[in-house]
Amino acid sequence: MTVTLVNPDGLPKPDVYRQLSIATGSKLVFLAGQVARDAAGRPVGEGDLAAQVEQAYLNIGTALAGIGGSFDDVAKLTVYVVDWTPDKMPLLGEGVTRAATKLGVDPVKPITLLGVAALGEPDLLVEVEATAVLD
């Protein structure tokens, strides 16, 4: 399985994500939105966006490892942030960077970032869903 990340000519070339991914493999994985909960379901990083982003990314890595994959197999991410404003971007980036360091991966993927009014539980600040491709 390979995921090739591309910023095609004619589109902006952002530093923090890629415009598209080309994935080859035989198994599509659609991962439910991951939030800031540890393996026992306890909240992680209450009130701390960076810590919650980090935990959500780590949970994606854990879920994929459980089926023989890794975060490297992610082809696309959708990130939902409560009350999003552009000034939260550094906190989002901090959480992604910390998770990438722990996972040993390049976290740069095609991403859709959505601001939302609320998530499923009042303490959640972020939810991240992933689509991955495995062999």
Side-chain angles (χ1 to χ4, degrees):
M1 195 294 303
T2 61
V3 175
T4 304
L5 302 171
V6 180
N7 273 331
D9 289 337
L11 293 176
K13 297 186 179 11
D15 293 330
V16 296
Y17 69 93
R18 297 298 174 262
Q19 295 288 1
L20 61 93
S21 64
I22 303 165
T24 60
S26 59
K27 188 185 312 182
L28 284 177
V29 179
F30 300 94
L31 185 61
Q34 296 300 299
V35 297
R37 297 287 186 264
D38 65 14
R42 293 180 299 253
V44 173
E46 191 169 338
D48 183 341
L49 180 61
Q52 289 198 16
V53 169
E54 177 183 4
Q55 185 64 46
Y57 270 63
L58 292 174
N59 288 349
I60 291 169
T62 298
L64 292 172
I67 60 167
S70 76
F71 198 93
D72 285 329
D73 298 318
V74 171
K76 165 110 176 33
L77 296 166
T78 303
V79 178
Y80 303 89
V81 180
V82 174
D83 297 326
W84 174 257
T85 56
D87 63 311
K88 293 180 180 178
M89 186 62 82
L91 294 171
L92 180 68
E94 179 185 335
V96 169
T97 299
R98 291 192 323 223
T101 299
K102 287 180 179 177
L103 293 167
V105 299
D106 180 352
V108 175
K109 307 286 182 179
I111 184 173
T112 299
L113 174 62
L114 299 167
V116 296
L119 292 168
E121 297 179 41
D123 64 312
L124 297 175
L125 302 175
V126 65
E127 185 166 338
V128 183
E129 64 182 26
T131 301
V133 181
L134 284 74
D135 279 332

